Amino acid sequence: MTDPERQSAPEAREVPWLTATLLAIAALAWTAGMLISARVKITSWADAAMEVTSTAYALPGAVSAAIVAGAAVALLALTLISGRRELGATARFAVGTGSGLLVGVLCALPVITINTAGTIYAAVGGTVAAAATIGGALAGFRLPPVIAAAGWATLGVFAVGAVLNQSDIQSTILELLGSGRDTESAANANQYFSYGQSALGGLAAGLIAFAILRRARQRAGGQDLRWTFYLIAGAGAGVLSVIAEILTRTAGAQVLELAGKVSELERSVQQILSTNRLNSALIVLFVGAFTAMVAVGRTLSPADDDEDETAEATAAAGDIAGTATTTDKIAETASGTGNAKTQTASATGDTKTQTASGTGEIAEAEAGTAGTAEATAGAAEIAGATAATD
């Protein structure tokens, strides 16, 4: 059973099948192009040493493309299945990993079949398959819009690199950076070119991720994702590049080691390229995250902040008014109690006064009765004396 509140959250909603399909097609096309290009370059050399170095040069790009293809195909499979039945966390992870593994096997075939007797191509094929499987497992997280945004952003980084590395464009930029005067200036120009390409790639990644998530907001009826998901999506391209570089250095270590044995110069070149790839991935990560954050921050108008402050002030005023009302009720209750006591005391005083007045009247009546008796006795005595005289 799934949590309905979690399903209603905008970050947990499945992306439209058309979006997932287009992403999967684009990622597979890019991966196929990278693998075919690598196979052509590797098989074009008759020298074994050059064949090994060409394989080492092609490995990082193939791994990066495979991890995106695995994630994109897994996202498509999850979107299609979730349209018919709801999947739990374990089922999503299983479907995503299985889809990525299938893509990985298909990506490994063009490399392994170059020479089935050589262990170097088995290592390359295994590394590519592992990358696609990891990508599929990442797609199993219940964050479909974020996964889709990160996938499109990574393809955007690939596109920026493809454009800037065109021979005419690259040579022109290197000349502007001061390349060609000596070896040191050429090295510095290439370093600046690499950093600039990474920065532009990160900028493109952040903007693409922001655009994809804003479209997801429109489909969710205006319910926007939290800013942290924009941050994750913007950094997604850099994160995938870092994972690809880690796989290249670990699972593909045999290939890089063999290339380093060709010559000392080749070993130094491989070390420099490895360091540059990691630095470029980190630049894409941070620039992409920063760009996405700035983009989403610009959509927050001051009116929204004023409304929040007004709502907080209204709530505080309501609390104060409620407290005042309660105080008034307590005062009215106390006043009523005082009035009741006053009325009771007044009634008691009136009763005592009336009782005292009645008692005085009774005493006066008794005094009048005694006077009448005395007068009657005096009259009787006078009548007795008169009779004796007669």
Side-chain angles (χ1 to χ4, degrees):
M1 297 296 291
T2 57
D3 188 0
E5 294 183 356
R6 184 185 181 91
Q7 288 298 316
S8 62
E11 68 272 8
R13 296 185 180 183
E14 300 293 341
V15 298
W17 68 270
L18 180 59
T19 300
T21 302
L22 293 176
L23 177 60
I25 293 174
L28 289 174
W30 187 271
T31 305
M34 294 293 294
L35 292 174
I36 293 174
S37 176
R39 182 184 175 93
V40 170
K41 289 181 179 179
I42 292 172
T43 56
S44 63
W45 297 101
D47 187 9
M50 296 301 298
E51 188 175 336
V52 171
T53 55
S54 296
T55 303
Y57 291 146
L59 177 61
V63 172
S64 298
I67 195 171
V68 179
V73 173
L75 181 64
L76 175 60
L78 290 169
T79 300
L80 296 177
I81 295 175
S82 298
R84 297 185 178 183
R85 53 171 298 182
E86 190 62 42
L87 297 176
T90 304
R92 288 184 65 88
F93 179 77
V95 171
T97 304
S99 301
L101 179 60
L102 177 60
V103 174
V105 172
L106 295 177
C107 292
L109 290 178
V111 180
I112 295 177
T113 54
I114 294 176
N115 186 358
T116 57
T119 57
I120 182 174
Y121 299 110
V124 174
T127 305
V128 172
T133 305
I134 291 175
L138 292 176
F141 286 99
R142 201 180 295 276
L143 299 170
V146 179
I147 300 298
W152 283 114
T154 307
L155 293 178
V157 174
F158 292 163
V160 170
V163 172
L164 293 180
N165 283 289
Q166 295 292 326
S167 58
D168 296 338
I169 298 176
Q170 185 179 22
S171 60
T172 302
I173 296 176
L174 289 176
E175 289 178 2
L176 294 175
L177 294 175
S179 178
R181 291 175 296 185
D182 51 32
T183 304
E184 183 179 358
S185 63
N188 292 333
N190 280 279
Q191 190 72 32
Y192 296 148
F193 177 82
S194 176
Y195 289 158
Q197 176 183 332
S198 302
L200 289 177
L203 179 64
L207 294 177
I208 292 173
F210 169 75
I212 296 298
L213 293 182
R214 294 298 286 185
R215 290 193 60 188
R217 176 193 178 186
Q218 295 176 359
R219 290 191 298 268
Q223 188 177 6
D224 201 1
L225 282 74
R226 294 193 296 271
W227 65 269
T228 51
F229 295 111
Y230 284 91
L231 177 66
I232 295 172
V239 172
L240 294 180
S241 298
V242 171
I243 295 175
E245 180 59 26
I246 293 174
L247 282 174
T248 301
R249 294 187 179 189
T250 54
Q254 180 183 359
V255 180
L256 301 180
E257 183 179 356
L258 288 175
K261 291 180 179 180
V262 173
S263 65
E264 291 296 330
L265 177 61
E266 188 63 34
R267 177 179 299 177
S268 300
V269 170
Q270 290 297 329
Q271 292 176 352
I272 293 174
L273 291 177
S274 180
T275 302
N276 288 341
R277 286 194 302 268
L278 181 59
N279 291 337
S280 298
L282 294 176
I283 292 174
V284 171
L285 190 156
F286 289 109
V287 173
F290 179 76
T291 303
M293 285 299 302
V294 171
V296 72
R298 288 180 61 86
T299 62
L300 300 177
S301 61
D304 296 335
D305 299 335
D306 293 341
E307 290 178 358
D308 295 338
E309 294 177 358
T310 303
E312 294 177 356
T314 303
D319 294 338
I320 295 173
T323 304
T325 302
T326 304
T327 305
D328 292 341
K329 290 182 178 179
I330 294 173
E332 290 177 359
T333 303
S335 176
T337 304
N339 292 334
K341 291 181 178 180
T342 302
Q343 292 175 359
T344 302
S346 176
T348 303
D350 294 340
T351 303
K352 290 181 178 180
T353 303
Q354 292 175 0
T355 303
S357 175
T359 304
E361 293 176 354
I362 294 172
E364 291 177 357
E366 290 178 351
T369 303
T372 304
E374 291 178 356
T376 303
E381 292 178 355
I382 294 170
T386 304
T389 306
D390 291 339

